[in-house]
């Protein structure tokens, strides 16, 4: 099938970013992925979020350089894990590309995700995760899906002790993003 596709960017920077994403996608399919340069990453959502500790690897399988994120869970994930997040539905995980969905990333969302980071969130989501149940980037699709569903949908690795009713409010009052994230992961009410 042949056809023509017209892409229109609103700025020179956006055009350069789209060109880099298309080139990376083509190279990946051809088996020779060339990553964006450090200079190209500067001042992009991907570049800003990669600076946060833990965000250099997928929150679920540990694959290097994740380019997707679950904006409601606050984690960066690789393409393979992003597929499972999408399968779970938006009531559990809202997945966005850090390279393609440039209009989705408000400054406040980027700030919030940068303040949390994969390391801090995994401390909450995986507090009771036995080492032998961790998955790696080479996990099968079935292993990946089972792990991610257990982690987020069933909260299998989250401690079962009750969350104090005021934990979320206290964390918000003292601007403790990590404490707020932990309280939410453990089931704190936003009411």
């Amino acid at each position: 099938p042949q056809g023509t596709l017209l892409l229109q960017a609103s700025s020179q920077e956006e055009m350069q970013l789209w060109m880099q994403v298309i080139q990376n996608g083509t190279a990946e399919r051809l088996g020779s992925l060339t990553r964006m340069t450090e200079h190209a990453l500067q001042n992009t959502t991907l570049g800003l979020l990669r600076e946060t500790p833990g965000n250099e690897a997928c929150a679920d399988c540990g694959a290097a350089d994740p380019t997707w994120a679950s904006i409601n869970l606050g984690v960066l994930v690789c393409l393979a894990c992003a597929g499972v997040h999408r399968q779970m539905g938006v009531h559990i995980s809202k997945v966005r590309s850090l390279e393609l969905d440039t209009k989705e990333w408000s400054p406040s969302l980027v700030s919030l995700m940068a303040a949390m980071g994969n390391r801090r969130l995994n401390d909450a989501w995986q507090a009771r995760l036995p080492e032998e149940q961790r998955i790696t980037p080479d996990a099968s699709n079935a292993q990946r899906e089972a792990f991610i569903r257990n982690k987020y949908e069933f909260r299998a690795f989250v401690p079962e002790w009750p969350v104090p009713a005021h934990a979320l409010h206290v964390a918000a009052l003292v601007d403790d993003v990590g404490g707020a994230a932990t309280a939410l992961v453990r089931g704190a009410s936003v009411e």
Side-chain angles (χ1 to χ4, degrees), residues 35-55:
R35 295 282 177 201
M36 294 175 85
T37 65
E38 288 300 315
H39 178 71
L41 279 175
Q42 283 181 337
N43 298 321
T44 66
T45 300
L46 178 58
L48 293 170
L49 292 180
R50 282 267 178 82
E51 294 173 3
T52 303
N55 285 356

Side-chain angles (χ1 to χ4, degrees), residues 52-55 59-60 69-77 112-128 151-152 157-159 177-186:
T52 303
N55 285 356
D60 297 329
S70 171
I71 61 172
N72 62 316
L73 298 175
V75 294
L76 270 60
V77 295
L112 178 63
M113 290 195 62
M116 291 187 294
N118 285 354
R119 184 174 302 149
R120 178 178 274 171
L121 287 166
N122 273 344
D123 286 348
W125 283 110
Q126 298 179 169
R128 296 185 326 134
K151 182 176 176 180
Y152 300 108
F157 313 122
V158 176
V177 175
T182 298
L184 287 169
V185 167
R186 291 182 44 213

